Amino acid sequence: MNVILLGAPGSGKGTMAQKLTNDLQIPQISTGDIFRKNLKEETPLGLQVRDIMARGDLVPDEITIEIVKNRLSEADCRNGYILDGFPRSIVQAEALDGFQQISAAVNIDVDEDAIVKRLSGRRFCPDCNGTFHVSTLGDGNICPACGGKLIIRADDSEETVRERLRVYYKTTFPLIEYYKKQGKLITVDGNGTVDEVYARITAAIGK
Ligand code: AMP
């Protein structure tokens, strides 16, 4: 099953992708994680995308498409995958259609107010890529999953969050119509607890 998770930044794509990966035993392909890993390791790609990500802009389509195309050609993607954060533009979606057959695009629909609240309280673990919310963490800044030190992602600052949302509505939101036209769109209410949203997604994709 080749599934795309669509949704605004902070809609829960990463959290849902991780759960699906565990349950369905197919990999989560997160372009954001790939870029962050390159940033951390200061690879040429990392240096190339650093300022773009810090501003909340999108990495150019040609670069992103090439990375995903290579990643999806690896053996572990043969039985399916969860795409988290890709495609993020019509150009990316059209390119993807050129080299992959997509089963479903799940749009996680969350109110904008809730998104701003989620992102501004978000904490990230660079060791295990886990994402948590301050409301569930108590006082500490220790990752409940692996014991790593939690950080605030540079692109979760208020100014960058606003820019990421602007970019989302302008460039990524049209993908909802794109997959609707293909008959592949499944919209799921993304408000509520992680377990509630996850149950809606698994029911919607029949897993
Ligand atoms: P994410 O973790 O998915 O929110 O992605 C973090 C950042 O990585 C985004 O704000 C973009 O700068 C970049 N990025 C991730 N995925 C893509 C994509 N499909 N196209 C372009 N830029 C991306």
Side-chain angles (χ1 to χ4, degrees), residues 9-10 13 30-33 35-36 49 52-54 56-61 64 68 84-89 92 122 153 155 164:
K13 295 189 298 293
S30 159
T31 38
D33 283 352
F35 290 135
R36 273 185 292 278
V49 302
I52 299 172
M53 288 179 74
D57 280 347
L58 292 182
V59 174
D61 287 330
T64 312
V68 173
D84 156 21
F86 182 93
R88 248 178 163 100
S89 67
Q92 292 180 8
R122 191 152 86 163
R153 270 171 50 176
D155 59 350
R164 286 166 67 203

Side-chain angles (χ1 to χ4, degrees), residues 17 20 38 44 49 67 79 94 121 141 147 170 189 192 194 202-203 205:
L20 286 169
N38 279 273
V49 302
I67 287 169
N79 295 325
E94 286 173 349
N141 61 346
K170 181 165 176 268
D189 179 3
V194 168
T202 49
I205 62 175

Side-chain angles (χ1 to χ4, degrees), residues 29-164:
I29 314 295
S30 159
T31 38
D33 283 352
I34 294 172
F35 290 135
R36 273 185 292 278
K37 183 167 185 281
N38 279 273
L39 256 177
K40 194 169 155 190
E41 293 170 0
E42 297 186 338
T43 65
L45 172 67
L47 298 176
Q48 198 177 356
V49 302
R50 183 173 54 197
D51 291 348
I52 299 172
M53 288 179 74
R55 282 199 303 273
D57 280 347
L58 292 182
V59 174
D61 287 330
E62 320 81 77
I63 298 177
T64 312
I65 290 165
E66 192 60 24
I67 287 169
V68 173
K69 191 174 181 185
N70 289 336
R71 179 65 187 86
L72 295 184
S73 70
E74 288 178 27
D76 64 332
C77 294
R78 221 173 285 149
N79 295 325
Y81 48 79
I82 312 291
L83 276 172
D84 156 21
F86 182 93
R88 248 178 163 100
S89 67
I90 296 286
V91 172
Q92 292 180 8
E94 286 173 349
L96 180 65
D97 279 341
F99 57 80
Q100 290 286 317
Q101 190 69 39
I102 295 304
S103 328
V106 178
N107 175 37
I108 308 176
D109 191 25
V110 181
D111 310 333
E112 200 174 331
D113 284 354
I115 283 173
V116 173
K117 205 162 142 197
R118 282 187 190 186
L119 290 179
S120 55
R122 191 152 86 163
R123 298 293 178 271
F124 176 70
C125 176
D127 294 337
C128 72
N129 286 332
T131 296
F132 308 91
H133 195 269
V134 277
S135 59
T136 65
L137 289 170
D139 296 336
N141 61 346
I142 299 300
C143 173
C146 78
K149 196 164 179 286
L150 298 175
I151 59 161
I152 300 177
R153 270 171 50 176
D155 59 350
D156 279 346
S157 73
E158 199 185 322
E159 199 183 328
T160 309
V161 162
R162 233 178 271 130
E163 178 60 13
R164 286 166 67 203

